Amino acid sequence: MSGDQRLENANPHVFSKTSERLVTQGEEDDDVVDEFDAREIFDLIRSINDPEHPLSLEELNVLRESHVEVNNETNCIKIMFTPTIPHCSMATLIGLSIRVKLLRALPPRFKVDISIEPGTHASELAVNKQLGDKERVAAALENDHLLNVVNQCLVGKQP
């Protein structure tokens, strides 16, 4: 971030991370049908970096496992996220980063619905409309600069 830009939330509250999920022998067996569950989806997205802070979306409590729903019968995944402040200008970018991560990681049979937790953002309806519009998402991902920013959010932290 350049010197003339100010952080919207300069002092965010940092939360503890959820412990790593233990992988069972059955989950490693390719002969066993293993459906997706909320924890598995959460594990895919929890480490996405916040666009403003050197913290993950999980550490900022933007993403929580309790806000992930998976229905394997209808191939639907619903994710709600909570911006750190009600007027967060990065909300659309955060939602786009979540969508891109899941597009790259999940089989194409899944329909992914990403939205802001109700009542947590001043422009909740507008952001949700943008995130739910396939054409807007596709157009955003054709923008090289925006795609670069999304990719930076998806790159894991280096130790």
Side-chain angles (χ1 to χ4, degrees):
M1 183 154 269
S2 66
D4 61 339
Q5 290 180 321
R6 293 171 49 198
L7 295 176
E8 287 183 0
N9 186 4
N11 232 354
H13 183 87
V14 180
F15 294 79
S16 299
K17 289 183 174 182
T18 306
S19 61
E20 293 294 322
R21 181 174 68 106
L22 298 175
V23 178
T24 65
Q25 221 172 9
E27 291 173 321
E28 291 181 337
D29 186 350
D30 290 335
D31 295 328
V32 175
V33 176
D34 182 27
E35 293 188 333
F36 287 92
D37 61 21
R39 179 59 192 257
E40 191 170 2
I41 301 302
F42 177 70
D43 284 344
L44 287 172
I45 59 177
R46 68 193 277 188
S47 62
I48 295 173
N49 297 315
D50 182 80
E52 273 192 320
H53 300 285
L55 299 165
S56 72
L57 297 181
E58 178 187 22
E59 290 172 307
L60 292 171
N61 213 31
V62 171
L63 287 172
R64 295 187 292 281
E65 183 181 353
S66 62
H67 287 137
V68 176
E69 294 178 24
V70 178
N71 185 327
N72 285 286
E73 290 179 17
T74 61
N75 297 318
C76 291
I77 295 173
K78 292 183 180 182
I79 297 173
M80 279 193 298
F81 67 98
T82 307
T84 58
I85 53 176
H87 54 277
C88 177
S89 65
M90 299 291 167
T92 305
L93 179 59
I94 289 169
L96 187 60
S97 297
I98 296 167
R99 180 171 298 286
V100 168
K101 177 70 174 190
L102 293 176
L103 279 171
R104 292 176 181 174
L106 293 174
R109 66 182 169 97
F110 281 102
K111 178 191 182 306
V112 178
D113 179 31
I114 299 168
S115 61
I116 292 179
E117 182 180 3
T120 63
H121 194 275
S123 301
E124 168 192 335
L125 296 176
V127 173
N128 288 344
K129 185 175 180 177
Q130 288 177 327
L131 294 174
D133 186 329
K134 288 181 184 180
E135 290 178 8
R136 285 186 187 189
V137 170
L141 297 177
E142 289 177 4
N143 179 313
D144 288 336
H145 174 71
L146 187 55
L147 185 58
N148 187 35
V149 174
V150 167
N151 285 333
Q152 288 174 6
C153 291
L154 300 182
V155 174
K157 292 182 194 175
Q158 301 300 321

